[in-house]
Amino acid sequence: GLVAAWLAVQGLADANQRPAGDVVVQSVVGEERMEHEVGTTACLRAGFTGDAAVVLEPSSTPLPLTVSPVSAGNWVFRIVVPGRSTHAGNRAGAIRPGGAGGALGVNAVEKGVDILHALHALEDRWAISKAHPFFSPGFFTILPGLFHSDAGYPSTSFFADYAVIQCVLWYPPDEQAEDVAKEVE
């Protein structure tokens, strides 16, 4: 991408073409880990703005290596699922009628799996309800990329005291992040 940008700028110079405004080639870091403060946001705060931008992302849509006038919205979010740790020997009393139920123990892993199923169902609805002419059908997705849980230390002999689910979500460019967040909640 960067080579293509520099070659485009060099091509303009070689053809003695001068754009109507300044051309700035900017490279940023932090995109994949949502660390925009050290990348895009840092550039904006330093005064690098423009009337237009060409994002040199190699995974363009709807076809590979195309120029698209829009970008999908995306963000990473984290869900922390509380549980109540107890020994695995207490499982029957925590989940069967007549036992102490949640007062005895709650497995955050199982609650987290229920949340993942709900996110998957939302993603399935989005495959039908969210569309944009520059993106292939079903593009707007929710990827659970990380799931971690334990009882304060790694052991299969205890109900997990907490679970953390981290996802990356893609939504249409004509929607507001706040509205999409409400759908997820």
Side-chain angles (χ1 to χ4, degrees), residues 17 24-25 33 49 78-79 91 97 112 131 134 158 169 180 183:
Q17 296 295 314
V24 176
V25 176
R33 295 185 45 151
T49 62
R78 174 192 325 234
I79 300 169
R91 181 167 174 78
F134 287 101
F158 294 89
L169 177 147
V180 175
E183 285 185 70

Side-chain angles (χ1 to χ4, degrees), residues 90-97 99-102 104-105 107 110 159:
N90 292 324
R91 181 167 174 78
I95 67 168
R96 302 280 182 245
L104 180 58
N107 190 349
E110 291 170 310
F159 282 33

Side-chain angles (χ1 to χ4, degrees), residues 50-97:
D51 297 325
V54 177
V55 179
L56 303 169
E57 175 65 41
S59 55
S60 351
T61 59
L63 301 171
L65 303 176
T66 61
V67 176
S68 179
V70 296
S71 176
N74 91 334
W75 45 278
V76 170
F77 63 95
R78 174 192 325 234
I79 300 169
V80 178
V81 183
R84 180 177 299 214
S85 188
T86 190
H87 191 272
N90 292 324
R91 181 167 174 78
I95 67 168
R96 302 280 182 245

Side-chain angles (χ1 to χ4, degrees), residues 121-143:
L122 176 62
E123 182 183 61
D124 284 346
R125 287 193 302 276
W126 284 6
I128 297 166
S129 66
K130 292 195 182 297
H132 190 278
F134 287 101
F135 296 90
S136 58
F139 179 86
F140 304 109
T141 57
I142 306 167
L143 169 70

